[in-house]
């Protein structure tokens, strides 16, 4: 198998809103933003501080016997722990108290109060910690969708996925970067990506709407469902494929290729593409 070419993610310093909107955002490619003011979280968010602020509030977490969590095969279980106990365990490599095994891995992805309706919001789920974190104002307030608090064990790797906020072209290369404390990684919508925690990791994801609000599923608190028009198109494609099943194999092949050509002709955009980003995070926000 041909090895993937690794492409470094460009690093930008001294980025303000004007620079972001003028030089970075229009390119629709990943970028590391270094030196952006994020508040006191960089100094304050230690294991002890987080445990003290989070206290006994119960949180739902992912627990796995291996550090590579796989959403497709569900190689993890959901458990509930007091926040301070979760932070303690997530910062350990070996556990005296555990669910599955002494070296199990932990992952927290914060949820809204009503998990089926409300997106995650750091200021609502963890208001004391939200005071330490400054959300960069790179987008209009009306575009804000969610701020997701994440904590992971050392070595934890999440499954590869894409987000519909902020076409799929398979490349032989991938973009890769290591985030230092205080770094931001801009991930445009539709770019496949995953993360690997090199150390005990604490981070916040801020999502905002790149498309008009009406383009998204209003009942999606996670912000990961395809835009409504894309969902309808995929459903129509599935119905068309079922119709082709009525034909012999050679006819299905012929008309399937014609469909592919028409789709490419109507939808392919020369200057917009998506690829894969793998970003490894250190303990930072």
């Amino acid at each position: 198998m041909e090895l993937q070419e690794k492409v470094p993610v460009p690093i930008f310093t001294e980025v303000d809103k004007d620079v972001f909107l003028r030089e970075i955002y229009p390119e629709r490619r990943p970028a590391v933003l270094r030196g952006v003011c994020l508040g006191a979280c960089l100094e304050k968010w230690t294991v002890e501080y987080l445990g003290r602020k989070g206290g006994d509030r119960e949180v739902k977490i992912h627990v796995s016997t291996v550090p590579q969590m796989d959403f497709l095969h569900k190689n993890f279980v959901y458990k509930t722990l007091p926040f301070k106990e979760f932070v303690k365990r997530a910062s350990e490599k070996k556990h005296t108290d555990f669910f599955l095994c002494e070296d199990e891995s932990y992952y927290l992805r914060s949820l809204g109060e009503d998990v089926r309706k409300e997106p995650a919001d750091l200021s609502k789920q963890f208001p004391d910690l939200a005071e330490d974190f400054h959300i960069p104002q790179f987008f209009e307030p009306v575009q804000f969708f969610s701020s997701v608090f994440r904590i992971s064990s050392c070595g934890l790797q999440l499954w590869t996925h894409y987000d519909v906020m902020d076409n799929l072209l398979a490349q032989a290369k991938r973009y890769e970067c290591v985030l230092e404390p205080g770094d931001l990684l801009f991930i445009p919508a539709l770019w496949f990506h995953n993360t690997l925690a090199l150390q005990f990791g604490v981070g916040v994801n801020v999502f905002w709407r790149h498309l008009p609000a009406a383009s998204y599923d209003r009942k999606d608190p996670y912000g990961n469902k395809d835009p409504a028009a894309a969902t309808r198109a995929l459903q129509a494609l599935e119905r068309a494929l079922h119709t082709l099943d009525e034909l012999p194999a050679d006819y299905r092949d012929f008309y399937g290729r014609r469909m592919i050509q028409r789709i490419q002709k109507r939808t392919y955009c020369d200057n917009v593409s998506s690829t894969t980003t793998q970003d490894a995070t250190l303990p930072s926000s």
Side-chain angles (χ1 to χ4, degrees):
M1 179 181 292
E2 182 181 354
L3 295 177
Q4 287 186 328
E5 176 189 354
K6 295 181 182 179
V7 180
V9 177
I11 299 174
F12 295 82
T13 58
E14 300 181 359
V15 177
D16 57 18
K17 184 176 181 179
D18 289 339
V19 172
F20 179 76
L21 294 179
R22 184 178 66 251
E23 300 180 12
I24 301 172
Y25 197 58
E27 294 297 318
R28 308 301 298 158
R29 293 182 177 276
V32 173
L33 315 182
R34 184 157 290 169
V36 177
C37 178
L38 298 178
C41 56
L42 293 178
E43 293 77 32
K44 287 187 174 181
W45 283 7
T46 63
V47 173
E48 294 73 22
Y49 180 85
L50 291 170
R52 186 168 68 253
K53 288 291 185 177
D56 293 323
R57 171 197 174 99
E58 291 198 336
V59 289
K60 188 176 182 180
I61 58 174
H62 302 64
V63 184
S64 177
T65 57
V66 295
Q68 294 80 24
M69 290 193 177
D70 186 339
F71 186 76
L72 182 62
H73 297 98
K74 295 292 193 299
N75 66 340
F76 54 83
V77 295
Y78 293 106
K79 295 292 183 180
T80 301
L81 279 176
F83 183 80
K84 63 181 181 183
E85 174 65 15
F86 158 70
V87 171
K88 181 182 80 69
R89 292 196 196 185
S91 65
E92 302 170 338
K93 293 188 177 180
K94 296 287 184 180
H95 317 293
T96 53
D97 297 310
F98 51 84
F99 294 108
L100 305 175
C101 62
E102 65 176 6
D103 59 348
E104 62 193 14
S105 295
Y106 297 88
Y107 170 59
L108 165 71
R109 192 263 191 217
S110 64
L111 304 171
E113 298 303 316
D114 185 336
V115 298
R116 296 187 177 183
K117 296 181 179 179
E118 294 183 17
D121 188 334
L122 184 67
S123 65
K124 294 180 180 179
Q125 284 85 58
F126 298 92
D128 290 343
L129 295 176
E131 295 177 359
D132 304 328
F133 178 71
H134 172 69
I135 296 178
Q137 299 302 304
F138 291 159
F139 52 91
E140 297 302 320
V142 71
Q143 294 177 281
F144 174 81
F145 179 76
S146 65
S147 51
V148 181
F149 191 42
R150 302 180 190 270
I151 296 180
S152 58
S153 297
C154 176
L156 184 118
Q157 184 170 16
L158 290 182
W159 51 89
T160 301
H161 65 283
Y162 69 92
D163 301 304
V164 298
M165 293 190 184
D166 223 43
N167 151 321
L168 300 181
L169 176 63
Q171 308 240 8
K173 61 184 179 182
R174 71 179 181 183
Y175 287 74
E176 185 174 83
C177 66
V178 176
L179 296 182
E180 302 291 342
D183 285 353
L184 295 175
L185 176 63
F186 170 55
I187 307 177
L190 309 184
W191 280 72
F192 282 88
H193 57 279
N194 65 54
T195 62
L196 170 64
L198 299 182
Q199 301 176 11
F200 166 68
V202 182
V204 178
N205 263 136
V206 178
F207 291 87
W208 69 92
R209 300 179 181 90
H210 174 58
L211 303 177
S215 301
Y216 300 101
D217 188 327
R218 296 181 180 179
K219 297 181 180 179
D220 177 21
Y222 293 93
N224 58 12
K225 289 186 178 180
D226 293 313
T231 298
R232 294 195 301 271
L234 290 171
Q235 291 171 344
L237 175 61
E238 196 63 33
R239 290 194 296 270
L241 292 174
H242 280 301
T243 302
L244 285 184
D245 287 340
E246 300 174 12
L247 298 171
D250 54 340
Y251 280 73
R252 287 200 305 271
D253 178 86
F254 175 81
Y255 287 103
R257 292 173 187 270
R258 287 196 62 188
M259 289 170 63
I260 292 172
Q261 289 177 340
R262 293 189 66 176
I263 291 173
Q264 287 180 326
K265 186 176 181 180
R266 287 284 298 273
T267 65
Y268 182 74
C269 186
D270 217 12
N271 60 353
V272 178
S273 64
S274 65
T275 184
T276 300
T277 299
Q278 176 169 306
D279 51 277
T281 60
L282 295 175
S284 62
S285 62

